[in-house]
Amino acid sequence: MQNHTQHHHHDGGRPDSATLTEPHGHPDTRPDDHTVHSHGQHAGHSTAMFKNRFWLTLALSVPVVYFSPMVGHILGYMAPMFPGSTWIPPVLGTVIFLYGGQPFLKGGLHELRNRRPGMMLLIAMAITVAFAASWTTSLGIGGFDLDFWWELALLVAIMLLGHWIEMRALGSAQGALDALAALLPDEAERVTDGGTETVPVSDLRPEDLVLVRPGARMPADGTVVDGQAEFDESMITGESKTVARGPGDTVVAGTVATDSSVRVRVTAVGDDTALAGIQRLVAEAQASSSRAQALADRAAAFLFYFAAVAGVLTFIAWTLLGSIPEAVTRTVTVLVIACPHALGLAIPLVIAISTEQAARAGVLIKNRMALERMRTVDVVLFDKTGTLTTGEPELKDIAAAGGVDPDALLALAAAVESDSEHPVARAIVRAARERNLALPAAGGFSALTGRGVRASVDGRTVHVGGPALLRELAAVEPPALAESTRGWTDRGAAVLHVIDDGGRVLGAVSLEDAVRPESRQAVAALQNRGVKVGMITGDARQVAQAVATDLNIDEVFAEVLPADKDKKVAELQGRGLKVAMVGDGVNDSPALARAEVGIAIGAGTDVAMESAGVVLAGNDPRAVLSMVDLSRASYRKMWQNLVWATGYNILAVPLAAGVLAFAGIVLSPAAGAVLMSVSTIVVALNAQLLRRLKLNPSEVR
């Protein structure tokens, strides 16, 4: 079953990552508080670095603000005077500029070199101009009154806070490759002339013979040479049913022998295994995923050019009017207030609140771009097994031969299966109990590997099993029964026959992967929002079509191999569609990484969660709707905040430049700074309104 894939730690301690990761050159990438991002404005920066710089800068900002004459004047108090008190803002302000401002100065330089101005360059420009102007004032050069020390301190502190909030919301680095490596056991039992020896998986070589015990994972790809077992291959194929593998059959690293021991001749190890191939697909898909630029960066680029042009024009205009000191004052004021605190907090606050709201609804957002992209998605592609369906078999139909009561037939089958732990057996017993049937006493239970089970009921031997058991017992279905079971088989159901000790077929039952009741609501609600729904599965076409018809799904991809799931996402993207992929198995990982938004469903494997930008903590596909609604709401909030933050600038910058000076209206540095603070408060309050959004999956419409 699909959900068995999460038990990969049963094979021992920490997996031998070297087996898979070292040949690819992927070192351990487990996320921690010091995760380093390799691209964008946070290149080389960690969450912890922004956090530490913020707290120290905040502590240093308090005395800078308190001893600032401008703040004292605005708030109407007089800071105490003592020898050296006037040097507190310049000295501490310089420390703040060099220490707290360092990430922005470096980032601004990086953006300047790449000729891609953004938030970092806008902040760097504002704090550098404020620093230079403030020192000019503190040293009494030119008689300027441009004391921006408090403004510099608060600007750096607020920007560090914004980036810290943003970095936390971005989530941790991808650990998908480690999680794939974790599907391999630490050790293998190699068969030798004298018995078996336990060796590290990395010591295995092609042609080695290994013993794989019940419940153990395959350490390498190989061919069964002795024994027969039901293999759980769901993490590779996505197929929910276990598959019988016997001598001559191929088995794959990472799959589980569920019920019996087998001896396997190794054919491929390490880098050459199917699992390693999937790992390479994940790496390639992650590398090719879109690097869309954040909204705030686009707004910051616009503001940078706007401020630079406004600054130059201000200086030229006031110089031509014959007032160099006024030209400097106005230009400095323009360049300092061009970097709004509000813009630094507008997006991070929305992201942080969105992330928190989503988590309460059981949606864990790991990548902020996934949240932003979700509103643009045209099609949601669901993996079938374990996502739209439960991944567990469910009794669908009962057909009894002439003269046999269907309830008695089900009770008899359940009695025979009652000692079995197989998922199919559990489904039959569960169905009998739900119908409140009294089960006859059964004894002498035995499992017939790959064929079925038998037990003694009321003194007669009764068999329950599939087509292989019919052939073995030379039993023949009555024509009326055969007509029923043919229809079941055509739609991909598993068919089990109940056969008495005389070889007479008493009847049959069908079992199918159960569709989650929530799936119907999820599909309908997505379609109501103008989003198409697709389904992708490794299952047979008739199985997939039956589920798709039941759920009214728009597009179906069936019999898809692991490598091709990735290609199917690319195929949809090639048609100009933006894709959100929802899956839970290792075989879904490349597709999750390739899609615009990868959503892992919570009962899935670690690797699926690592490849996804979003993880649904539960198994409810309706949670995808929460993601769509939140994405659209948070995008509206981001735009509202950006319009407010940049709109304030577009109005304040010309006033600071003195365009209305002829009418006696001039925005002083102090007034500009106060307006900036008001703008920040408005943005923060607006972001809080997101908390009113209801994201309960059970209330989806």
Side-chain angles (χ1 to χ4, degrees):
M1 305 307 301
Q2 188 92 340
N3 59 352
H4 289 189
T5 57
Q6 66 196 54
H7 302 310
H8 56 255
H9 297 299
H10 288 187
D11 301 307
R14 188 184 182 281
D16 178 19
S17 301
T19 310
L20 275 178
T21 55
E22 284 180 8
H24 300 301
H26 293 289
D28 189 66
T29 53
R30 295 184 184 281
D32 64 10
D33 201 28
H34 297 271
T35 299
V36 176
H37 292 252
S38 57
H39 64 273
Q41 64 181 25
H42 299 305
H45 298 153
S46 70
T47 310
M49 182 275 286
F50 277 115
K51 179 178 78 171
N52 296 339
R53 284 179 197 261
F54 164 69
W55 285 116
L56 187 53
T57 300
L58 185 65
L60 294 175
S61 298
V62 173
V64 172
V65 172
Y66 181 69
F67 283 98
S68 167
M70 194 183 285
V71 175
H73 177 71
I74 294 168
L75 298 181
Y77 71 86
M78 179 69 76
M81 301 292 288
F82 52 84
S85 62
T86 53
W87 290 100
I88 289 176
V91 172
L92 296 184
T94 301
V95 174
I96 289 169
F97 175 74
L98 296 175
Y99 175 72
Q102 187 194 48
F104 307 115
L105 296 170
K106 280 186 176 175
L109 201 57
H110 180 71
E111 288 178 356
L112 199 57
R113 282 192 191 127
N114 292 339
R115 295 178 186 172
R116 290 186 62 183
M119 179 65 87
M120 290 297 201
L121 188 56
L122 191 60
I123 300 168
M125 177 184 71
I127 63 176
T128 303
V129 170
F131 177 73
S134 300
W135 262 119
T136 303
T137 303
S138 294
L139 295 173
I141 300 170
F144 294 110
D145 183 17
L146 294 167
D147 182 1
F148 283 114
W149 287 120
W150 73 281
E151 180 58 19
L152 167 68
L154 288 185
L155 182 56
V156 171
I158 287 174
M159 290 304 171
L160 284 171
L161 174 62
H163 282 73
W164 173 30
I165 291 171
E166 187 178 15
M167 290 283 281
R168 283 177 61 193
L170 284 174
S172 59
Q174 298 284 3
L177 302 175
D178 278 342
L180 270 173
L183 284 177
L184 287 184
D186 283 342
E187 297 170 331
E189 284 191 71
R190 187 160 58 191
V191 179
T192 63
D193 295 338
T196 62
E197 60 177 358
T198 301
V199 297
V201 168
S202 54
D203 285 359
L204 288 181
R205 295 290 175 264
E207 296 305 316
D208 280 352
L209 190 64
V210 293
L211 173 66
V212 182
R213 298 182 187 276
R217 286 189 182 276
M218 280 298 305
D221 290 0
T223 307
V224 178
V225 293
D226 184 29
Q228 185 163 326
E230 294 280 326
F231 270 78
D232 175 0
E233 299 184 348
S234 57
M235 72 292 296
I236 299 295
T237 64
E239 172 61 66
S240 56
K241 294 181 209 165
T242 55
V243 184
R245 296 286 183 235
D249 290 338
T250 301
V251 285
V252 180
T255 58
V256 183
T258 59
D259 58 352
S260 302
S261 296
V262 288
R263 290 178 183 234
V264 176
R265 180 78 61 195
V266 174
T267 56
V269 295
D271 215 19
D272 300 322
T273 61
L275 197 60
I278 292 177
Q279 187 185 32
R280 281 192 291 276
L281 279 172
V282 173
E284 287 165 17
Q286 284 179 349
S288 69
S289 62
S290 166
R291 300 290 185 216
Q293 197 181 12
L295 269 173
D297 288 340
R298 298 199 285 274
F302 162 75
L303 279 181
F304 171 78
Y305 289 119
F306 176 69
V309 170
V312 170
L313 291 177
T314 301
F315 188 79
I316 292 170
W318 283 98
T319 302
L320 292 175
L321 290 171
S323 177
I324 296 287
E326 192 65 19
V328 173
T329 301
R330 295 276 133 237
T331 304
V332 168
T333 306
V334 163
L335 295 178
V336 172
I337 70 169
C339 181
H341 301 57
L343 188 58
L345 279 177
I347 304 296
L349 266 176
V350 171
I351 291 167
I353 293 169
S354 302
T355 306
E356 180 190 330
Q357 288 295 93
R360 289 182 179 180
V363 180
L364 311 175
I365 296 168
K366 295 178 57 198
N367 179 338
R368 68 124 183 245
M369 292 313 297
L371 178 65
E372 191 176 316
R373 287 190 202 117
M374 194 67 195
R375 67 184 178 82
T376 67
V377 160
D378 303 302
V379 57
V380 176
L381 188 60
F382 286 96
D383 174 53
K384 179 184 80 72
T385 308
T387 306
L388 290 174
T389 64
T390 61
E392 292 281 347
E394 179 182 63
L395 187 87
K396 278 284 183 192
D397 302 290
I398 306 169
V404 179
D405 177 59
D407 279 354
L409 178 76
L410 178 58
L412 185 61
V416 174
E417 294 277 17
S418 57
D419 281 349
S420 172
E421 281 301 306
H422 197 282
V424 165
R426 289 201 300 268
I428 291 172
V429 173
R430 187 167 59 244
R433 288 202 176 121
E434 283 169 1
R435 288 171 168 78
N436 295 316
L437 301 180
L439 304 190
F445 171 85
S446 64
L448 311 169
T449 303
R451 292 157 295 167
V453 296
R454 71 168 171 238
S456 176
V457 182
D458 296 334
R460 59 179 175 155
T461 302
V462 180
H463 292 77
V464 179
L469 188 65
L470 275 181
R471 288 193 297 273
E472 184 177 305
L473 299 175
V476 180
E477 284 182 290
L481 183 64
E483 199 170 313
S484 295
T485 59
R486 195 177 304 115
W488 300 346
T489 307
D490 287 347
R491 69 166 191 255
V495 178
L496 297 181
H497 295 86
V498 182
I499 308 161
D500 70 8
D501 50 4
R504 186 167 74 99
V505 179
L506 303 175
V509 296
S510 77
L511 295 109
E512 294 178 29
D513 193 3
V515 172
R516 293 185 193 279
E518 308 90 355
S519 297
R520 286 183 189 82
Q521 283 177 278
V523 171
L526 280 167
Q527 289 166 338
N528 289 342
R529 285 161 175 76
V531 179
K532 286 185 174 178
V533 180
M535 185 178 80
I536 191 164
T537 179
D539 283 355
R541 182 160 299 282
Q542 63 267 32
V543 178
Q545 204 56 56
V547 174
T549 304
D550 186 6
L551 295 175
N552 190 32
I553 281 168
D554 301 303
E555 189 155 5
V556 181
F557 299 104
E559 298 173 12
V560 182
L561 296 171
D564 295 336
K565 286 198 175 183
D566 175 36
K567 288 175 189 162
K568 293 297 179 191
V569 171
E571 182 186 311
L572 286 170
Q573 290 169 330
R575 279 156 43 186
L577 299 172
K578 290 189 169 60
V579 183
M581 168 78 190
V582 187
D584 71 338
V586 172
N587 59 297
D588 300 328
S589 303
L592 288 171
R594 176 82 64 191
E596 271 79 10
V597 182
I599 303 173
I601 203 154
T605 58
D606 293 352
V607 66
M609 294 186 190
E610 292 295 349
S611 302
V614 181
V615 178
L616 305 183
N619 287 329
D620 192 340
R622 294 175 302 183
V624 174
L625 271 299
S626 302
M627 183 73 184
V628 173
D629 292 346
L630 181 65
S631 177
R632 292 176 178 179
S634 62
Y635 193 74
R636 280 195 304 273
K637 277 283 169 269
M638 286 181 188
W639 266 111
Q640 288 165 8
N641 280 357
L642 285 172
V643 166
W644 177 269
T646 51
Y648 145 80
N649 262 56
I650 292 167
L651 290 174
V653 166
L655 287 177
V659 293
L660 296 179
F662 66 89
I665 301 171
V666 175
L667 187 67
S668 70
V674 171
L675 268 178
M676 202 184 288
S677 301
V678 171
S679 175
T680 307
I681 292 165
V682 170
V683 162
L685 291 175
N686 188 38
Q688 297 297 327
L689 295 178
L690 262 180
R691 297 187 187 280
R692 298 190 304 183
L693 188 66
K694 296 284 181 280
L695 295 174
N696 188 345
S698 63
E699 295 173 10
V700 158
R701 294 287 177 271

